[in-house]
Structure formats: structure tokens, C-alpha cells
């Protein structure tokens, strides 16, 4: 079951900002993320016959996006750490304290949190995108919740 051009165009039109913001967290900025998302969808169009339909089209494109982003940041692939001088992605609906707490998460945790709560993907699709088990996704989210709770809960509360 290959993806159609129309399906990919619709996904691009409706989810571009979500992809851009997610990729920005990997590549370190909104402008480089735009280029990565453009490359992502160009690859998806070129390789659309490889989509087998064993997951959602969106998850398949996310996997391409993550791979393109990691390729553009080869150093990130080895260390999973962003350079500290990189700006946070622009996530407009997120308040400043939450944004700061999210940025403090290790990059792999931040990616899993983003894919779950901002891209609204189920555990199985996140696992497929990240190349890990669903149990690892669940554990990563649990660790992230604990760390975010510690950062966002006032002392003594």
C-alpha cells in the first residue's frame, strides 16, 4: 500500500509546523528545521512506494524526518546532546517555565516527549520512529514526567 502524492501533500499542509518544531529540537533552530522538513517530504515523495502501511503515514514520515535531522547533525547521532548555544524551538503554546523544563531534558527524552504530546503519536509509532521498544518509550516518558514534575513543582509543595 504505497502512499499517494495527495496524502503526502495533505500531511505537509496540515502538519508542517508540528514537523518543523519537532525537528527544530533536534537540529537546534527553526530555520535549519525548515530545510530538514523540506528534505523529509521530498524523500517521502520520492520513496512513497516504500510505505507499506504497517503504521500510519505520519509515523513513517516522522521516521524520515528524524533520520534527516540526525544526518544533518552527525555529532548529535553519537552523543544525543545539543550544543548549549542552540536556541529552543519555537513552541508557541508552551509557557516559559514548561519550555525551559523541556529544554533541560536530555535530547532523546525531549524527542520522545515531543512525539507523544506535541505530535500526538501513540507509543507504537514513537517506538518505530526511534528504533526502540514500546516499553522503552513508556520508561522514557515516565522518567521525563518525573524530571519535569521535579523541575516544575515548587520546593516544599
Amino acid at each position: 500500500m504505497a502512499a499517494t502524492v495527495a496524502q503526502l501533500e495533505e500531511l505537509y499542509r496540515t502538519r508542517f509546523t508540528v514537523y518543523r518544531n519537532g525537528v527544530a529540537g533536534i537540529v537546534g533552530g527553526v530555520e535549519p528545521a525548515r530545510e530538514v522538513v523540506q528534505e523529509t517530504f521530498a524523500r517521502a515523495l520520492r520513496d512513497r512506494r516504500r510505505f507499506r502501511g504497517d503504521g500510519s503515514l505520519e509515523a513513517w514520515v516522522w521516521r524520515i524526518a528524524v533520520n534527516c535531522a540526525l544526518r544533518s547533525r552527525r555529532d548529535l547521532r553519537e552523543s544525543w546532546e545539543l550544543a548549549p548555544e542552540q536556541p529552543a524551538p519555537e513552541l508557541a503554546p508552551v509557557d516559559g517555565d514548561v519550555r525551559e523544563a523541556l529544554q533541560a531534558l536530555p535530547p532523546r527524552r525531549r524527542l520522545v516527549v515531543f512525539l507523544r504530546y506535541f505530535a500526538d503519536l501513540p507509543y507504537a509509532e514513537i517506538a518505530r520512529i526511534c528504533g526502540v521498544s514500546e516499553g522503552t518509550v513508556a520508561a522514557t516518558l515516565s522518567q521525563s514526567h518525573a524530571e519535569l514534575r521535579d523541575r516544575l513543582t515548587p520546593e516544599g509543595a
Side-chain angles (χ1 to χ4, degrees), residues 52-113:
R52 294 185 301 261
D54 52 350
S56 74
L57 178 61
E58 183 170 359
W60 182 73
V61 174
W62 267 113
R63 184 167 189 100
I64 296 169
V66 168
N67 287 336
C68 287
L70 291 175
R71 226 180 335 282
S72 76
R73 290 284 310 262
R74 292 188 192 280
D75 59 323
L76 178 62
R77 187 181 303 165
E78 294 176 11
S79 68
W80 277 91
E81 292 181 14
L82 292 175
E85 69 276 1
Q86 297 297 328
E90 294 174 22
L91 300 173
V94 179
D95 113 336
D97 291 339
V98 174
R99 181 187 317 246
E100 189 175 304
L102 285 168
Q103 282 299 95
L105 289 174
R108 182 171 286 232
R109 283 189 194 169
R110 190 169 51 240
L111 175 63
V112 171
V113 166

Side-chain angles (χ1 to χ4, degrees), residues 4-43:
T4 67
V5 172
Q7 289 172 315
L8 287 166
E9 286 176 349
E10 177 67 15
L11 186 60
Y12 180 84
R13 271 194 303 278
T14 60
R15 304 289 283 171
F16 174 84
T17 302
V18 174
Y19 280 97
R20 186 205 60 205
N21 289 345
V23 168
I26 298 171
V27 298
V30 174
E31 285 308 313
R34 289 177 203 267
E35 293 177 25
V36 169
V37 173
Q38 294 294 333
E39 179 184 348
T40 296
F41 278 89
R43 285 176 188 245

